[in-house]
Amino acid sequence: MGVPAFFRWLSRKYPSIVVHCIEDKGKIVNGEKIPVDTSQPNPNDVEFDNLYLDMNGIIHPCCHPENKPAPKDEEEMMVAIFEYIDRIFSIVRPRRLLYMAIDGVAPRAKMNQQRSRRFRASKESVEKVDLISTIREKLLMKGVNVPPEKPKEEHFDSNCITPGTPFMDRLAKCLHYYIHDRLNSDPGWRNIEVILSDANVPGEGEHKIMDFIRRQRSNPEHDANTRHCLCGADADLIMLGLATHEPNFTIIREEFKPNQPRPCELCGQIGHELKGCTGAAKEKQGEFDELTKPIEIDVEFIFIRLNVLREYLAKELVMDNLPFPYDLERVIDDWVFMCFFVGNDFLPHLPSLEIREGAIDRLVELYKNAVQKTGGFVTNSGHVELSRVQLIMTNLGEAEDEIFKRRQENELVFQARQKDRKKRMKMNKDNRPAWTPGGQFGPRSLSQSPSPVQNARQEAYQMRMSSSSSNASRESSKQRLESMMVPENNGNNSSEVLGMKRKREESESEESEPEDDVKLWEDGWKSRYYEVKFKVDADDIEFRHKVAAAYVEGLCWVLRYYYQGCASWNWYFPYHFAPFASDFLNIGDLKINFDQGKPFNPLEQLMAVFPAASKQHVPTPWGDLMSDPDSPIIDFYPTDFKIDLNGKKYAWQGVALLPFVDERRLLKALESVYDKLTNEEKRRNIRGKDKLYIRSGHAGYEFLVALYEAGSNWKLEIDMNPKLFSGMGGTVVLSKDVIHPKETVTSPLHALPDLPGNAAVCVSFIDPRYPENFIFPAEKLKSAVDPPKVLKPGQTHVVDYRNRNNFRRPQVGMAPYNKRVSLDAAGHRMLNHNRSDDKNSYGNVPPPNAYGGRNRYPYQNRGPPRGPSSHQQSYARGREANSGRFNSSYPPSSRHTTYGSNPTANSGGGHWGPMTSHQGNRGENWPTHHGSSQPPSSRYPQNNTSSGYSAGYPSSRYPANNPPSRYPANIPPSRYPANNPSSRYPDRNLPRDRSDGGQGESSYSSTRQSHYTFY
């Protein structure tokens, strides 16, 4: 999605939404890789029901990765895609549904962005090839040996990842084989439904997923407490997840790690860019080059918990004294709508709004004022109240001039800071800072064996002499040159020197700044903006209102697209730039209606988004229309185009000024070449249907097999029984791609074998249908149960989230903190050493940081004089209260017992709330786990689902006939308070759980909380 820096802003302001995934890795035994058993309970302490894959976010990094060598051929790409899906599946482990959605034909509003991306990619590819050729020729002229030039046919054109291309057709066949393979062999896939929505099904991948969820939520058999997990890296997935109003929605994505090394495109080495390549041989690191820095870095995954984001928004968006009832679901919808103004895939962001400048926070404040004044929310189930938007835009327009001036001031401060940093970090010829010592005292590579300094005094003397001589010679030469360049009549030693060459850093800083003709920080900025960007007269006020009206229409289209589905397949914003907020006048009077239309066919979309350089992916007669000078649509395919930086610094941030495609002209030109398509090309040009896969043993398997045995009517639509498919509704149609039971599944790849004895069945699947004017309500279902709260009562968003010094990522998990701590033999000796002579009492040495700082009493001083401390007195006061609670005669062997070895049959999800048992839905028992044949145990007893300590011990944590042996046998039980089961001193292999500050906690327990609890 076109929202730069949105996720960075979100994760810094609401840090607790991010959780690192716990992942089990496959093992290698005797050279054979043993895959992860995904039928076992999830190691993240939460069981998901449905997993949705936005496949384009998987296909692109697998086909042309950035941080590792590219696959050699197409087969390696397919295998990489399979392995990526396996990894996501092993982390999430869905128990009901796996939905794989590939981008199909998109609406016209999105096709404009796709067209810009593909033209950019083609242009950048040509420029990179020319640059590599130029550098190669220069190196060859110098006699440098360079790697052989890569054949042109081996270059992978990423534009082929577009609906309608032969590559996407082959990918669909490979995924068809992959699903059959996993259903027949992987126990974790055995009882789930799998839906594949390939590129022939119209719609973007993430919006096909959202449409599926909306339609299933309106099904009476839908489980309102379904746990959803969506895999994708686009920022709009966060807002789409909030728009579902599902209480249990999580997003999984790769953790972004900046500044990762990338290999040079010419020599393949890391450490330099293409422009700085010298063709030098690879430097040996280590005696046998064993210390070479690996290029392949295994990415890690994170969870984004939208239920925690909902908690943050509930606290931040609270509004008191409203003249109407407060509704959190409506407020969240309005927040999503506010985010559209800072950018999306369909509209350019307003010039006065930048996320890095706190644009969303500003909009939230304006929104609160508008709600108070207008007496109502801004949106309602995908429809916008434009009169309330008008008030927000009016208030924003009044601050635009101040915003532009402040932006320029901050930019000048940033440039000055960067200039000073370059001066401080001025480098020598050897690419090291000037203050770096040389000779024997200089830094050495870690791969070099250390050697002692020989004659250190002589070495230091030579370093001082060489430094002083070089400085003196430099200064004397500089003074002689400057004296020759100063005019004779300039006797006051002025700094104005004629003919003096500019310094290198000054020249680079001036040349790197792009030219800005608009200058928004100066008076007259609005007139200049429309003159430069839109090529209209400065006094054409009517045109400004026309652009603003089109933008408002786009906002309504985007919101409806998020909440109700595509309102129009033909609508698009017909300008490259957005209007100003102050140009939104009388928008409440606009009457906005959309014509539904119909999507393009796959090959037609290729002609609308591809440049002429990618015509090899379209049929040959159609490709000629892109390059023939006499073609009636040749103007749609410019070989060169301008990129307007629009106030940015880099080309990738600019706007590609491409002509908009006229749909009627395009379709008319294609009419003359339709009859030249082959049968295979005609098959790729039709709209397809989703496919549903299940295997034998599933409750609905016999039903689908019976459909094929009953007849061969390939158009008959049959309603599904939701009770057979985990509450999922819809209709099914017989599919010609079906592979009947016990037949062999043919592999489309040479590297993978055929699959004999097929046990899976496939049908075409259609989502539940509703009347044309049906409105999907944007509300939480009545039977939905919110998961337990994660944030503390006083915990809110990070106020100063833009200050890096104040930012700290909280270490939180999907469930209560369950790490174990223990003491080794040395720890026990230290503990015994600090005990007093009385065996029934401890010494007075406090734990670290017990009093808000470092150890109050140094180790040598052993603290204040002997005597009962305040903590010991508090223990003594609770002696009688605990006398009947513990048995004083514990067996010595119980000191090191690991609790929780016999979990009770409870269902829990920690921060995710009580887990819904799937035993009845799956038709079989859970697999054996940790020696128990019971379902996954809870961390809490049946009657206590809180995340803190209770007055008694959780029954699921301690064995029934074994009282907690956390305390040594020779310590009287009455020393511990009744309501504080935790001990100040951890014993071996005992759990250290988080505490919410329960009743009766002493200062030591709060100290323990500060050491072992992270928020």
Side-chain angles (χ1 to χ4, degrees):
M1 181 180 180
V3 190
F6 178 78
F7 176 70
R8 176 182 176 86
W9 168 83
L10 195 75
S11 59
R12 292 181 70 87
K13 186 175 183 181
Y14 310 116
S16 294
I17 68 174
V18 178
V19 173
H20 284 81
C21 299
I22 300 175
E23 179 181 3
D24 291 338
K25 299 287 187 179
K27 300 179 181 179
I28 298 179
V29 180
N30 297 328
E32 183 178 356
K33 186 176 181 180
I34 307 300
V36 178
D37 185 1
T38 55
S39 63
Q40 295 297 317
N42 196 311
N44 293 283
D45 290 332
V46 55
E47 296 294 340
F48 291 100
D49 297 314
N50 298 353
L51 170 61
Y52 312 95
L53 301 180
D54 183 9
M55 289 297 298
N56 282 63
I58 299 175
I59 299 170
H60 279 282
C62 290
C63 293
H64 53 101
E66 296 183 352
N67 60 344
K68 61 182 180 180
K72 297 179 181 179
D73 51 27
E74 193 172 292
E75 286 209 358
E76 286 192 6
M77 297 179 188
M78 300 300 175
V79 173
I81 293 172
F82 297 167
E83 292 176 351
Y84 197 108
I85 299 174
D86 286 340
R87 187 177 177 190
I88 297 295
F89 192 93
S90 67
I91 296 175
V92 179
R93 305 187 185 184
R95 302 307 182 190
R96 295 182 184 175
L97 172 70
L98 171 63
Y99 195 112
M100 307 164 64
I102 305 175
D103 280 357
V105 174
R108 277 295 311 275
K110 180 61 179 289
M111 285 170 60
N112 289 334
Q113 190 205 53
Q114 292 177 339
R115 175 178 168 85
S116 175
R117 288 178 178 175
R118 282 152 180 78
F119 271 77
R120 282 170 178 268
S122 178
K123 183 177 181 179
E124 292 172 358
S125 178
V126 172
E127 292 175 350
K128 182 177 292 186
V129 170
D130 293 341
L131 180 60
I132 293 176
S133 177
T134 302
I135 296 177
R136 179 185 295 275
E137 292 177 359
K138 290 182 179 180
L139 295 177
L140 290 175
M141 291 176 62
K142 295 179 181 180
V144 179
N145 293 327
V146 294
E149 189 173 1
K150 189 176 181 180
K152 186 176 180 180
E153 58 271 10
E154 293 185 9
H155 173 69
F156 178 75
D157 183 10
S158 61
N159 285 347
C160 70
I161 308 177
T162 308
T165 61
F167 175 84
M168 299 302 289
D169 185 64
R170 293 190 294 269
L171 174 62
K173 294 178 181 178
C174 291
L175 290 175
H176 183 72
Y177 164 84
Y178 166 77
I179 294 172
H180 278 87
D181 182 22
R182 295 300 183 266
L183 285 174
N184 283 281
S185 60
D186 195 322
W189 291 58
R190 182 165 300 172
N191 293 312
I192 68 171
E193 299 101 26
V194 181
I195 295 179
L196 173 61
S197 182
D198 61 24
N200 280 62
V201 181
E204 299 178 79
E206 63 268 29
H207 287 275
K208 289 193 284 188
I209 293 171
M210 291 300 115
D211 195 54
F212 171 82
I213 295 176
R214 276 193 300 267
R215 294 177 180 273
Q216 294 300 329
R217 291 180 82 245
S218 299
N219 176 21
E221 299 293 333
H222 173 70
D223 181 7
N225 295 297
T226 301
R227 297 177 181 270
H228 308 271
C229 185
L230 173 58
C231 175
D234 290 341
D236 61 342
L237 299 181
I238 298 174
M239 288 177 276
L240 285 170
L242 291 174
T244 62
H245 294 278
E246 289 287 290
N248 303 290
F249 206 105
T250 306
I251 295 173
I252 181 173
R253 60 178 286 168
E254 291 184 7
E255 182 183 17
F256 175 71
K257 296 181 179 179
N259 303 324
Q260 293 297 314
R262 296 184 182 180
C264 172
E265 289 87 348
L266 181 60
C267 65
Q269 300 183 35
I270 60 174
H272 64 271
E273 297 181 354
L274 175 61
K275 295 181 179 180
C277 184
T278 60
K282 182 178 181 297
E283 182 181 355
K284 188 177 180 181
Q285 299 186 18
E287 184 178 358
F288 302 102
D289 199 25
E290 71 278 5
L291 300 177
T292 303
K293 188 175 181 179
I295 298 178
E296 261 186 76
I297 300 177
D298 198 13
V299 298
E300 298 180 356
F301 290 89
I302 57 176
F303 285 123
I304 304 174
R305 304 179 294 179
L306 298 191
N307 64 310
V308 181
L309 179 57
R310 286 172 56 91
E311 291 185 44
Y312 273 120
L313 295 178
K315 293 185 176 183
E316 184 179 5
L317 301 177
V318 63
M319 291 176 281
D320 299 326
N321 302 321
L322 289 179
F324 54 91
Y326 178 84
D327 188 351
L328 176 61
E329 307 303 322
R330 295 283 299 277
V331 171
I332 291 178
D333 291 341
D334 291 351
W335 184 84
V336 171
F337 179 72
M338 291 294 106
C339 293
F340 293 161
F341 287 95
V342 297
N344 52 74
D345 281 344
F346 318 101
L347 295 170
H349 69 85
L350 296 181
S352 56
L353 296 178
E354 291 284 352
I355 291 181
R356 297 178 180 88
E357 300 173 354
I360 298 180
D361 296 332
R362 181 187 293 271
L363 287 172
V364 167
E365 292 301 321
L366 296 177
Y367 161 74
K368 290 182 178 180
N369 295 332
V371 170
Q372 292 280 0
K373 292 180 180 179
T374 60
F377 298 110
V378 176
T379 66
N380 184 12
S381 297
H383 297 272
V384 186
E385 183 60 46
L386 294 178
S387 61
R388 290 161 185 162
V389 178
Q390 173 68 75
L391 181 59
I392 298 175
M393 291 294 100
T394 300
N395 295 334
L396 178 61
E398 294 174 355
E400 279 184 326
D401 189 59
E402 177 190 354
I403 292 173
F404 295 142
K405 291 181 179 179
R406 184 180 302 172
R407 181 182 301 172
Q408 178 64 11
E409 293 175 0
N410 295 336
E411 180 64 22
L412 294 176
V413 171
F414 174 77
Q415 292 177 8
R417 192 186 307 122
Q418 291 294 102
K419 186 176 179 180
D420 293 340
R421 188 183 65 86
K422 289 181 180 180
K423 289 181 179 180
R424 290 194 305 268
M425 299 300 295
K426 189 175 181 180
M427 311 298 278
N428 283 338
K429 292 181 180 179
D430 55 355
N431 200 29
R432 291 190 296 181
W435 41 261
T436 304
Q440 298 184 56
F441 292 104
R444 295 177 176 239
S445 174
L446 293 176
S447 61
Q448 299 179 3
S449 58
S451 59
V453 177
Q454 303 294 335
N455 198 352
R457 296 183 63 182
Q458 181 66 19
E459 183 73 16
Y461 171 76
Q462 292 180 356
M463 289 175 59
R464 290 195 300 270
M465 294 301 296
S466 61
S467 176
S468 60
S469 62
S470 61
N471 291 337
S473 61
R474 253 195 322 265
E475 288 296 328
S476 61
S477 301
K478 180 180 178 182
Q479 290 174 0
R480 287 197 299 268
L481 285 174
E482 289 182 351
S483 63
M484 296 171 60
M485 299 170 67
V486 173
E488 296 181 359
N489 57 355
N490 192 354
N492 55 358
N493 195 18
S494 173
S495 61
E496 182 182 354
V497 181
L498 300 178
M500 178 177 290
K501 186 177 180 180
R502 290 181 300 173
K503 293 182 179 181
R504 179 181 177 184
E505 61 269 18
E506 294 177 357
S507 176
E508 288 180 354
S509 63
E510 292 178 6
E511 293 176 358
S512 62
E513 288 301 316
E515 183 180 359
D516 189 355
D517 297 330
V518 178
K519 299 180 180 179
L520 294 174
W521 59 92
E522 296 182 359
D523 294 338
W525 47 268
K526 182 178 290 189
S527 299
R528 288 193 302 270
Y529 180 81
Y530 282 98
E531 287 179 351
V532 174
K533 305 298 184 182
F534 294 91
K535 310 299 181 185
V536 297
D537 295 335
D539 56 352
D540 194 348
I541 306 300
E542 183 179 354
F543 178 81
R544 302 179 187 180
H545 296 165
K546 181 180 178 181
V547 177
Y551 196 91
V552 171
E553 190 176 32
L555 290 172
C556 297
W557 184 92
V558 174
L559 187 69
R560 198 171 303 182
Y561 189 37
Y562 272 59
Y563 284 86
Q564 302 296 329
C566 185
S568 173
W569 289 92
N570 304 324
W571 179 91
Y572 66 94
F573 183 65
Y575 304 99
H576 290 107
F577 303 97
F580 292 105
S582 54
D583 294 325
F584 288 76
L585 299 177
N586 301 323
I587 61 176
D589 300 332
L590 295 177
K591 304 298 181 182
I592 297 177
N593 296 302
F594 296 103
D595 180 21
Q596 179 68 29
K598 63 179 181 179
F600 278 21
N601 289 328
L603 294 184
E604 296 170 354
Q605 188 200 23
L606 293 182
M607 296 295 295
V609 301
F610 268 1
S614 300
K615 68 177 184 179
Q616 69 270 18
H617 302 302
V618 301
T620 303
W622 293 35
D624 294 339
L625 295 175
M626 296 180 171
S627 55
D628 187 359
D630 298 329
S631 170
I633 53 175
I634 188 63
D635 56 310
F636 293 166
Y637 311 101
T639 57
D640 194 14
F641 53 92
K642 181 181 178 182
I643 295 180
D644 191 327
L645 294 180
N646 197 26
K648 306 296 182 181
K649 294 184 178 180
Y650 306 103
W652 61 269
Q653 296 176 314
V655 179
L657 301 181
L658 292 168
F660 294 104
V661 173
D662 188 336
E663 180 179 352
R664 290 176 294 181
R665 285 180 55 198
L666 176 64
L667 297 179
K668 184 177 180 180
L670 295 177
E671 289 178 357
S672 59
V673 292
Y674 264 110
D675 55 350
K676 298 180 181 180
L677 296 177
T678 63
N679 292 332
E680 179 67 17
E681 292 167 346
K682 291 179 180 178
R683 184 187 63 83
R684 298 204 317 264
N685 197 37
I686 61 175
R687 303 187 188 101
K689 295 184 178 67
D690 298 338
K691 294 183 178 63
L692 171 65
Y693 303 80
I694 56 175
R695 65 152 290 157
S696 61
H698 190 281
Y701 179 79
E702 299 296 336
F703 168 73
L704 297 185
V705 171
L707 297 181
Y708 286 99
E709 295 176 351
S712 58
N713 187 348
W714 304 102
K715 296 184 179 179
L716 179 62
E717 298 182 0
I718 303 172
D719 293 334
M720 300 168 54
N721 184 359
K723 295 182 179 179
L724 300 178
F725 296 91
S726 305
M728 184 177 67
T731 57
V732 294
V733 183
L734 301 184
S735 173
K736 295 183 179 180
D737 296 327
V738 65
I739 300 175
H740 294 284
K742 299 184 179 181
E743 291 186 354
T744 299
V745 182
T746 305
S747 173
L749 304 176
H750 297 291
L752 300 178
D754 295 341
L755 307 176
N758 174 49
V761 64
C762 164
V763 293
S764 297
F765 172 77
I766 303 174
D767 286 330
R769 294 190 178 96
Y770 296 93
E772 183 177 354
N773 297 325
F774 182 82
I775 300 298
F776 296 100
E779 60 186 14
K780 187 172 65 176
L781 298 180
K782 295 181 180 179
S783 57
V785 178
D786 286 326
K789 300 296 184 182
V790 174
L791 303 180
K792 298 172 111 180
Q795 185 178 358
T796 59
H797 65 276
V798 178
V799 179
D800 194 11
Y801 60 89
R802 284 183 283 178
N803 188 346
R804 295 183 179 181
N805 297 328
N806 294 339
F807 177 72
R808 179 179 65 87
R809 172 77 65 198
Q811 300 295 320
V812 294
M814 305 287 278
Y817 190 73
N818 60 357
K819 290 186 178 180
R820 297 174 181 270
V821 296
S822 61
L823 291 177
D824 57 5
H828 280 282
R829 287 196 299 269
M830 180 182 295
L831 190 63
N832 293 330
H833 179 70
N834 286 289
R835 293 175 59 181
S836 64
D837 296 335
D838 184 7
K839 294 184 179 180
N840 294 333
S841 62
Y842 284 93
N844 296 322
V845 178
N849 298 330
Y851 301 101
R854 295 187 178 273
N855 196 343
R856 184 176 178 181
Y857 304 107
Y859 179 77
Q860 294 83 354
N861 191 11
R862 300 300 176 113
R866 300 284 183 176
S869 66
S870 60
H871 305 290
Q872 292 172 330
Q873 294 174 3
S874 65
Y875 292 155
R877 284 194 296 269
R879 187 181 297 267
E880 292 187 3
N882 293 304
S883 59
R885 187 170 177 182
F886 300 124
N887 185 359
S888 61
S889 58
Y890 294 152
S893 61
S894 65
R895 282 191 64 185
H896 305 296
T897 303
T898 301
Y899 298 110
S901 60
N902 185 22
T904 59
N906 194 9
S907 60
H911 284 260
W912 298 82
M915 299 296 301
T916 304
S917 175
H918 301 288
Q919 185 171 354
N921 296 334
R922 296 274 63 90
E924 62 180 14
N925 293 328
W926 285 89
T928 303
H929 176 51
H930 296 300
S932 174
S933 60
Q934 301 172 2
S937 64
S938 170
R939 297 188 179 276
Y940 313 110
Q942 287 184 341
N943 297 325
N944 179 19
T945 58
S946 64
S947 59
Y949 289 120
S950 63
Y953 280 94
S955 60
S956 61
R957 179 169 290 173
Y958 304 102
N961 298 322
N962 184 14
S965 58
R966 175 173 291 185
Y967 316 104
N970 57 353
I971 302 298
S974 58
R975 295 184 60 252
Y976 306 99
N979 296 322
N980 184 15
S982 63
S983 173
R984 152 190 179 187
Y985 300 101
D987 206 324
R988 184 184 300 272
N989 297 328
L990 294 179
R992 274 291 198 181
D993 292 331
R994 290 193 300 193
S995 173
D996 289 339
Q999 299 175 355
E1001 288 229 336
S1002 65
S1003 62
Y1004 276 108
S1005 67
S1006 62
T1007 301
R1008 175 187 54 78
Q1009 184 182 20
S1010 67
H1011 284 300
Y1012 296 100
T1013 305
F1014 301 88
Y1015 295 100

